[in-house]
Amino acid sequence: MNILALETSCDETAAAILSGDSLLASEVASQTASHEPYGGVVPEVASRLHLTALQPLLRRAFSTAGLDIADIDAFAATAGPGLATSLMTGVSTAKALALARRKPYIAVNHLEGHLLSPFLAAGRPVVRSLGLVVSGGHTLLVRIEEFGSYHTVGRTQDDAAGEAFDKVGKLLGLPYPAGREIDRLAKDGDPSMYSFPRGMAKGFDFSFSGLKTAVRYALPGLQDARLADICASFQEAVVDVLVRKTAAAAAEHALRTVAVSGGVSCNSRLRERMAAACERDRLELLLADPKLCTDNAAMIGYVARERLARGLHSPLLEDIDPNLALA
Ligand code: KG4
Ligand code: ZN
């Protein structure tokens, strides 16, 4: 069974081809440089760039996979959540191909793609576990019962973790998106130099907007401070909350495996501290490699493959849903 999957929910255009258990191609064309001058993703610019990027990307994916369109048995695309006009590009393309080739179309939830990407990376079936999805748009703690059965146990009440990195990066004059750069600068910094607040949302929820505000108010008094120390201290505050709440949720829900995903799961300090916490609590930790953490189509193809294996596909009339929820 060969699957072509497309991902165009935000500012990466991505195409992947899966064949059975093998990932034959996973191509990503990033638009980051085009949005950087605006300090964030501009929806109109994103959808135009998806349109121009898709054709060459598809050609590249087929060439890498050594397959032809006639070899594809099903077409999948991210149907939400995301930017409406960006989602439409991938979904319309996948539907048109499915219609022309008389093959099934599978609509995939972007968040389910992220959530399960550590299982794709590990080459393992989905097991009962706790998923932490930390991306530019979402911060979710999810109890995974099995494939297709998810219960959100915590979410951010305001900014997503990646959004906090990007907004604080902007305050510090760093280019967008700033997560990777803050991570890099923090390596030379002292995380205990400044004591930024740990978001105190109740239960397993998160709140990062107070942290961003605290950095904004602290900055004028930190003129001689080293950028590295500010980055390390800010990063520590985010990571501290993510790790503590994840460990507490795993204990409360009696889950022995933790699967961390989304762009922020590339963060080296988060990976280090999550690994230490899981070792302490004797939890198994699944972390995808960075290419599968940020937006990609392989994770969309993985969900589509699992759905197809269960005899599920989507009607061609099913529309995109920019606010699609996970559970
Ligand atoms: O999952 P993703 O590629 O896109 C969304 O679905 O949002 O995540 C992008 C986010 C951005 O906010 C970016 O700053 C953040 O992931 N990010 C990082 C790192 N690499 C990417 N945040 C912290 N540390 C990193 N190393
Ligand atoms: Zn994403």
Side-chain angles (χ1 to χ4, degrees):
M1 175 71 72
N2 298 327
I3 299 171
L4 172 69
L6 304 178
E7 155 62 45
T8 63
S9 67
C10 191
D11 62 341
E12 327 277 2
T13 317
I17 298 176
L18 288 85
S19 179
D21 285 343
S22 311
L23 175 61
L24 300 185
S26 180
E27 304 287 335
V28 181
S30 178
Q31 306 178 356
T32 304
S34 306
H35 297 286
E36 208 239 285
Y38 306 101
V41 178
V42 184
E44 170 68 15
V45 173
S47 48
R48 281 166 190 259
L49 291 175
H50 284 310
L51 275 175
T52 51
L54 213 44
Q55 286 283 352
L57 200 73
L58 280 171
R59 250 179 259 126
R60 231 162 65 204
F62 278 115
S63 149
T64 309
L67 294 181
D68 186 80
I69 189 93
D71 300 318
I72 301 297
D73 303 299
F75 296 87
T78 302
L83 300 168
T85 49
S86 287
L87 290 166
M88 273 178 208
T89 320
V91 164
S92 311
T93 306
K95 282 181 178 176
L97 290 171
L99 190 64
R101 305 292 317 163
R102 298 176 191 275
K103 300 288 183 191
Y105 160 69
I106 303 123
V108 175
N109 184 318
H110 181 79
L111 295 172
E112 188 176 9
H114 274 307
L115 183 72
L116 304 186
S117 58
F119 294 95
L120 162 66
R124 297 222 334 232
V126 176
V127 294
R128 190 168 183 273
S129 51
L130 179 69
L132 172 68
V133 181
V134 269
S135 72
H138 301 272
T139 300
L140 291 174
L141 268 173
V142 180
R143 198 174 76 232
I144 303 170
E145 291 296 349
E146 59 180 341
F147 177 82
S149 174
Y150 316 113
H151 302 273
T152 300
V153 300
R155 53 162 44 94
T156 184
Q157 293 174 344
D158 39 58
D159 293 346
E163 199 177 350
F165 272 93
D166 297 338
K167 286 180 174 172
V168 165
K170 199 169 182 176
L171 292 174
L172 298 175
L174 301 175
Y176 172 89
R180 210 161 70 171
E181 187 61 4
I182 290 180
D183 188 356
R184 195 184 65 78
L185 289 164
K187 287 189 178 19
D188 293 325
D190 176 359
S192 59
M193 184 65 86
Y194 305 105
S195 165
F196 290 126
R198 273 55 174 159
M200 275 304 134
K202 67 173 176 15
F204 301 123
D205 280 349
F206 301 94
S207 169
F208 293 110
S209 67
L211 170 59
K212 171 196 66 196
T213 309
V215 175
R216 175 183 290 133
Y217 285 122
L219 277 182
L222 302 180
Q223 262 157 19
D224 295 328
R226 289 175 62 235
L227 186 58
D229 292 332
I230 302 175
C231 288
S233 302
F234 156 75
Q235 178 177 272
E236 201 65 13
V238 176
V239 168
D240 214 22
V241 176
L242 291 175
V243 171
R244 273 200 275 160
K245 294 231 170 179
T246 302
E252 164 113 2
H253 290 268
L255 300 164
R256 306 304 309 161
T257 298
V258 171
V260 187
S261 59
V264 181
S265 69
C266 294
N267 185 270
S268 55
R269 186 69 177 148
L270 176 62
R271 292 172 93 93
E272 187 181 302
R273 291 217 28 214
M274 194 66 85
C278 288
E279 199 179 321
R280 178 197 66 206
D281 297 347
R282 297 208 190 86
L283 302 171
E284 178 190 37
L285 174 62
L286 299 181
L287 268 168
D289 59 73
K291 264 198 196 141
L292 287 176
C293 293
T294 50
D295 286 350
N296 66 85
M299 66 185 191
I300 304 305
Y302 177 76
V303 174
R305 186 185 83 198
E306 295 302 304
R307 197 159 299 151
L308 267 179
R310 289 160 178 79
L312 304 169
H313 55 88
S314 314
L316 280 175
L317 286 176
E318 191 173 302
D319 209 351
I320 58 151
D321 182 352
N323 300 312
L324 191 60
L326 185 64

